[in-house]
Amino acid sequence: MKQVTVTETVFLLGELSDTAREKALEKMRMALYDNIDSSQITDHLNGELYSALTGTYDGEISKKELSKRVGLTIEWSLSHCQGDGVAIYGTLNRSDALNVNWGGADNATFTRNSHGHHYSHEHCMDIALFEYDDETGYEIDAESDATEMFTKQFRDLCRELARSGYAEIEYATSIDAAVEYLDNNLPRRFLQDGSYAPTEFWGE
C-alpha cells in the first residue's frame, strides 16, 4: 500500500481576510452559545439575587450556597421564547433580606404554581407574606396591600434578573469572548475561507 501524505495550510484568526474572519468569529460565537455552561448563568443570577436581597455583592454564588444563605433557589429559561424568564422558589426570612421592603412582614414563601411546571418566569410563583403575632406566637397572613406590594417587588426583581441573565449570555457569546477563546485554545484552526480545517490540522 502506498502511503500518501496530505498537507493543509491552516490559518490563525488574524491571518484571515476580513470576510473570512467575520465568518470564523460567527461560527465560534455559535459554538460558544451551543455549549454555554448553564451553571455559569445560574451562579451569576444567584449572585445578582443575593445582592438585591442584602445589598452585598459577593460575585457568583452556587445554588447550594444561595439556599444556605437565604433559603431560595432560582429557575430560569432564557432563549427569547414565550414563557422564558426567571422564577424564585423557597422561603425567605426578613433577617436574611434586609434590602427588601417588607412592609412590616417577617417572612415570605415562593411556591410553584401551574405555570411553573412548564415555564420559568415571574408569574410561575405564588407569593405569600406572613407576620408574627406576638400574642399568639403564630404566623398570620399579612395584609393584602402589603402582600400586593411585596409581590410586585419580586416580580419586578425577576424581570431584572432575566435582563441580567440575557446580558451575561450575550457577553459569554460575544465577539470578544470568541476571540479570547481562540487565543487560548489552539487558535490555528481555520481554512482560508474562515471555515474549520479538519481537527488533525489544528495547532498553536
Side-chain angles (χ1 to χ4, degrees):
M1 178 182 295
K2 182 178 180 180
Q3 186 173 6
V4 177
T5 300
V6 178
T7 61
E8 186 69 78
T9 302
V10 184
F11 296 85
L12 295 170
L13 184 67
E15 296 170 340
L16 298 172
S17 67
D18 290 345
T19 300
R21 187 175 187 274
E22 289 180 8
K23 176 179 178 180
L25 286 174
E26 186 59 26
K27 188 176 184 67
M28 190 69 253
R29 286 186 67 236
M30 291 301 99
L32 290 175
Y33 184 84
D34 290 341
N35 293 283
I36 195 166
D37 185 356
S38 62
S39 65
Q40 174 187 345
I41 306 304
T42 299
D43 292 352
H44 166 78
L45 293 173
N46 289 341
E48 294 297 309
L49 174 59
Y50 183 75
S51 177
L53 297 176
T54 66
T56 300
Y57 182 67
D58 285 346
E60 295 182 351
I61 297 176
S62 69
K63 179 179 179 179
K64 181 178 180 181
E65 183 63 21
L66 181 70
S67 179
K68 177 182 176 182
R69 293 187 188 188
V70 297
L72 300 177
T73 59
I74 280 179
E75 292 186 12
W76 59 272
S77 177
L78 299 173
S79 301
H80 295 285
C81 294
Q82 182 179 359
D84 279 0
V86 172
I88 300 168
Y89 300 109
T91 299
L92 182 65
N93 294 314
R94 180 173 186 161
S95 59
D96 294 327
L98 298 179
N99 208 41
V100 170
N101 184 352
W102 285 88
D106 296 294
N107 60 57
T109 59
F110 302 79
T111 307
R112 186 188 309 275
N113 58 31
S114 59
H115 301 294
H117 296 292
H118 305 285
Y119 305 107
S120 291
H121 56 70
E122 68 273 12
H123 292 289
C124 290
M125 55 198 188
D126 292 331
I127 302 175
L129 197 60
F130 301 94
E131 298 175 3
Y132 185 76
D133 189 324
D134 292 330
E135 294 184 4
T136 65
Y138 291 101
E139 291 179 341
I140 58 174
D141 292 345
E143 294 182 2
S144 59
D145 288 347
T147 300
E148 183 178 349
M149 176 275 298
F150 189 87
T151 298
K152 181 180 184 305
Q153 183 179 192
F154 272 83
R155 297 214 194 285
D156 288 345
L157 176 55
C158 285
R159 295 185 187 98
E160 292 176 13
L161 290 172
R163 287 192 289 270
S164 181
Y166 276 123
E168 183 69 8
I169 291 171
E170 180 64 27
Y171 173 77
T173 59
S174 65
I175 294 295
D176 288 343
V179 171
E180 181 180 357
Y181 180 88
L182 290 169
D183 285 345
N184 295 327
N185 296 273
L186 295 178
R188 189 176 293 280
R189 63 173 67 190
F190 299 106
L191 298 177
Q192 189 173 11
D193 65 353
S195 60
Y196 283 166
T199 55
E200 59 265 28
F201 295 108
W202 292 8
E204 298 292 343

